Structure formats: C-alpha cells, structure tokens
Amino acid sequence: MQVDKDEPEVIERVAALDIGKAEVVCCARVPGPGAQRMQEVRTTSTMTSALLALGDWLAELGVTRVVMEATSDYWRAPFYLLEDRFETWLVNAHDVKHLPGRPKTDRLDAVWLCKVAERQMLRPSFVPPPAIRELRDLTRYRVDLLAVRTAQKQRVEKLLEDALIKLTAVVSDPFGVSGRAMMAALIAGERDPVVLAELARGSLRSKTARLTEALTGRFSEHHAFLLMQMLQRVDAATADIAAVQARIDARIGELAPAVARLDAIPGIGPVAAQMILAEIGTDMSRFPTPAHLTSWARFAPGVSESAGRPKGNARTGKGNRYLARVVGEAAVSAARTDTFLGERYRRIARRRGKKRAIVAVGRSILVIIWALLSDDEALFVDLGPDYYASRSNPERKVRQHLRELQALGYTVTLNPAA
C-alpha cells in the first residue's frame, strides 16, 4: 500500500460557470446542514457590471474556486474579472464531457461542471499573467499579419500568371527591388519586355534575356488595376508588421535577458524567442518538469495502453498551434546545423523518418528552454555534433556488425589495422 498524495476529495465552496455570448449560468455549491450540500443556480448577463455583481455574490458565499470551460473567447471577460478575487480555473471542454443519456441544458451543464470541480476531477489550463497575455496578443497578431501578407503575395503571383507574365519563373523573390520596379512599370503602362528587363538590379542583370522572355505577355489595364490594389495591401501589411514588431520590442522589457538566452539555441532567433516566451511565459513553476512542458505543448507521444499493449500510433495530439509552429520551424532550422541538435535530427531521421525527427528535435528544444527558464544563471552550451560518436562503444559496434554479417551467411575474420 502507498500513501495517496491526491488533494482532498471535495472542495467545500466552489462555483462553476457555463458561459455563452450574452449570458452566464453560474452554479455555486456550499456545505449544508450535516453532511448535505447546498447549491444555487443563477443566470446573469456577460456585461461587466453583471459579472462584477456575480463576483460579489460568490464572495458572500465564501467561494474559493471558480471553474469555467474554455468556450471560444467568451471565457475571457468572466475570467479576467474574477481572477483577482478567486482561484479561477479555465478547463478544457474535452475534460468535462456530460454523461450520455442525460438531458443537456445550460443549467444542467453548470451543475455538472460544479459537481465535477468540487471533487477535484479537473485540471486547470495554463493561462499566463496579464503581461504575458499582452505580449501573446502582439506576437499572435504579427503571425496573422504575416499570413495576410503571404496571401496577398500569392494573389499577385496568380494575377501575373493570368497575364502570361512568368516573372516568378526567373526571379526567386518577385517582391524584391527588381521585381517591385518591374511591377510598378507595368502598372504605369510600360509593356515593352526589353525595357522592363532593364530594370533588373544586381546579379539579376545576368538574366536579362530570360527576363525579356518571361515579361512578354498580355498584361492589360484590368491586370494593372488589380495589381495596384494587391501591392497596396502588401505594403500596408508590411507596415503593420513593422509597427507590431516595434511594439513587441518595446514591451519585452524584463524579458530581454530570457530572449538573449533562448537566442543561443540553434534554430531560434530573437523573434522566435519572443514568440515562445509569449506562449509559455517565464515562470516554469507551472510546469514542474520538462515532461510537463513538452506534454502540454504536444511534443511528446501520447500514451494509450490496453491489456498490457500500446494502442494506436502514439500521436502527439493537437496543442498550441502558435507554439507548435515556431518550435517546428526552429527544429527544421536546427536540423541544418552542425550541432548536437542537427546530429540528433539526422540520427533519428535515418531510423524513424523526417517528421518524427522534427518532433523529437522540437521536444529537445523545449527541454532546453525549460532548463534555461528554470535557472536564471543557466546558459546554453552546445554538446557538439560528435556527442554521440564520442560515447559509443567500439567493441559493441564490432560485435553488432559481426552478428549482421554472420546472419547473412558470412564467416568473418578480424585483422587489426596496422
């Protein structure tokens, strides 16, 4: 027998919120006479004044914990208004499934959530402090702006193809100095491919003949109008991205040392470090071990076992898409380097494939990040690409190769090299 270290089974005074766009259904449960439990359900508006009044009512009841589901973005208002007064938990709706066969209403959902919460059957989701939330809003908006600009650039490429202008077949970046000059000339009314090709700059001037051929098409006034509108959107998005990035740099403040430490990891630059800190914060007490962080980020294989055998393919599942994107990009970049992480990627890719190798390297990066953020004095030191080779046992490798050759029907005699 072992000591059960779980928390007490029942929370005496707890409340749960079923949140909608216009209304919140709140169920509060408190101790009653004897061993009985008493509950009350109230429906209130999601307006600020109504939510503050709801908080006053819960405070009068002595409620210590308030639990709510992560319903779209509607949870933000009640969470932000109640987090300073109560222990406020945001829980995953997947963990609060209603029992099948029972009727389902907002009132019953609130009661069910409250009953599950009072028995400690839920886990809180990670909600960063206000400063990190503001930084997260900025970094996520920057990602969205990048997606908007990329979409506009793709529309430009499709428009040029429609006009039989094969600029992207010759120019690697049609939105560079040369490409923008040629598109500006097209909008201005220039149609002579020789004149357009002469606008090339730098090394692109060696491709004048190909550019002349690529710029021979059927570019009309219709294409010129659409191209002008699209380029304006591209320029506006670029200006917005620069403004948001300047705001991020100004708001980093005390996080600058953490950004510098993460910047030392192969594959991670200053912008990626800012995005990672905006998603996970700097307080690693929320993640007691590196395994907790990698599991929360869904960079660890899932565990599903039945009858003593693993089930499924151990998929990682869906996690924070913004964090997964930046860590995945960092893993791909680190895979190209001559470092420990690069060698780890190549070793795993040979055996398990490139996709699994990227996830494994991403997990290693998160473990390094956890170690750096857990200790302010910690610095990243690369183990080097020869880390695995320096720790291999030559005799064991010889025996392994001998067994493989013998299994193929060969008799091997070893002669040491002079």
Side-chain angles (χ1 to χ4, degrees):
M1 301 291 288
Q2 297 179 351
V3 177
D4 187 359
K5 298 182 180 180
D6 288 344
E7 298 181 8
E9 181 181 354
V10 176
I11 301 176
E12 288 189 352
R13 299 177 181 271
V14 62
L17 307 181
D18 185 80
I19 305 171
K21 182 176 182 179
E23 289 185 341
V24 171
V25 180
C26 177
C27 174
R29 291 175 62 86
V30 298
Q36 295 179 344
R37 300 285 291 172
M38 299 181 64
Q39 76 176 30
E40 182 177 350
V41 181
R42 289 189 179 184
T43 301
T44 184
S45 169
T46 56
M47 301 300 176
T48 301
S49 58
L51 292 176
L52 291 175
L54 177 64
D56 295 337
W57 173 60
L58 296 178
E60 293 175 0
L61 295 177
V63 169
T64 57
R65 181 179 296 176
V66 179
V67 181
M68 64 191 74
E69 291 184 22
T71 306
S72 183
D73 284 332
Y74 302 145
W75 62 269
R76 296 179 182 273
F79 188 96
Y80 293 166
L81 293 174
L82 299 177
E83 65 176 335
D84 294 332
R85 306 178 64 180
F86 308 96
E87 182 186 6
T88 310
W89 279 21
L90 180 71
V91 299
N92 193 332
H94 181 75
D95 298 338
V96 198
K97 289 184 177 180
H98 201 77
L99 289 180
R102 298 181 60 181
K104 184 181 185 304
T105 64
D106 292 344
R107 180 186 180 90
L108 293 178
D109 285 348
V111 174
W112 173 254
L113 179 59
C114 197
K115 289 181 178 180
V116 174
E118 74 178 0
R119 288 169 173 79
Q120 303 274 35
M121 298 174 66
L122 299 175
R123 298 171 298 175
S125 298
F126 171 58
V127 180
I132 300 297
R133 290 202 294 257
E134 293 177 0
L135 181 62
R136 175 185 286 186
D137 291 339
L138 291 170
T139 55
R140 289 185 175 184
Y141 185 50
R142 181 183 177 276
V143 171
D144 296 339
L145 286 175
L146 285 171
V148 170
R149 186 176 66 177
T150 301
Q152 290 296 333
K153 288 184 176 181
Q154 291 173 344
R155 291 189 180 98
V156 169
E157 294 181 9
K158 290 183 178 180
L159 180 69
L160 293 178
E161 288 290 332
D162 183 74
L164 306 183
I165 302 296
K166 299 291 185 178
L167 184 63
T168 56
V170 182
V171 183
S172 58
D173 182 14
F175 295 91
V177 176
S178 301
R180 287 300 299 261
M182 295 173 191
M183 286 188 284
L186 285 170
I187 293 174
E190 183 61 58
R191 299 292 183 268
D192 189 347
V194 176
V195 176
L196 294 172
E198 288 298 325
L199 297 175
R201 297 291 181 269
S203 60
L204 195 60
R205 293 193 64 84
S206 62
K207 302 179 181 179
T208 304
R210 292 190 61 196
L211 280 172
T212 302
E213 184 180 0
L215 292 168
T216 303
R218 296 180 179 179
F219 195 88
S220 65
E221 292 300 321
H222 170 72
H223 296 112
F225 172 78
L226 289 177
L227 181 59
M228 181 176 62
Q229 301 300 319
M230 294 176 185
L231 291 180
Q232 288 177 356
R233 297 294 182 272
V234 171
D235 294 339
T238 301
D240 292 341
I241 292 170
V244 172
Q245 185 59 51
R247 178 76 171 180
I248 293 173
D249 295 336
R251 297 299 296 271
I252 285 296
E254 298 179 354
L255 300 181
V259 172
R261 290 202 303 274
L262 297 191
D263 187 19
I265 303 174
I268 294 182
V271 174
Q274 293 170 355
M275 295 178 63
I276 292 173
L277 291 176
E279 296 301 329
I280 67 175
T282 57
D283 183 12
M284 291 296 102
S285 62
R286 180 63 179 80
F287 307 103
T289 66
H292 286 80
L293 175 59
T294 57
S295 177
W296 175 80
R298 294 297 189 269
F299 269 80
V303 178
S304 179
E305 182 181 289
S306 179
R309 295 183 179 181
K311 310 292 286 187
N313 55 5
R315 290 182 178 177
T316 58
K318 296 182 179 180
N320 184 322
R321 64 185 180 94
Y322 292 94
L323 180 62
R325 175 177 179 175
V326 65
V327 173
E329 292 175 352
V332 172
S333 298
R336 303 191 185 104
T337 61
D338 191 23
T339 60
F340 168 77
L341 292 176
E343 181 61 22
R344 176 170 175 77
Y345 169 83
R346 290 184 284 273
R347 284 170 59 91
I348 298 175
R350 285 193 295 266
R351 297 182 290 109
R352 306 297 301 276
K354 295 181 179 180
K355 292 184 178 180
R356 290 179 182 268
I358 290 175
V359 175
V361 173
R363 182 187 182 280
S364 298
I365 290 175
L366 286 174
V367 171
I368 296 171
I369 291 172
W370 183 91
L372 293 176
L373 297 180
S374 298
D375 183 2
D376 294 337
E377 303 298 327
L379 297 175
F380 174 76
V381 178
D382 184 31
L383 297 177
D386 60 343
Y387 176 81
Y388 292 107
S390 63
R391 282 158 177 76
S392 63
N393 188 334
E395 296 181 358
R396 183 173 63 183
K397 294 184 69 175
V398 169
R399 292 194 298 269
Q400 177 183 352
H401 292 316
L402 283 175
R403 286 195 297 268
E404 292 177 355
L405 290 171
Q406 290 171 357
L408 294 173
Y410 291 93
T411 300
V412 181
T413 302
L414 299 179
N415 295 319

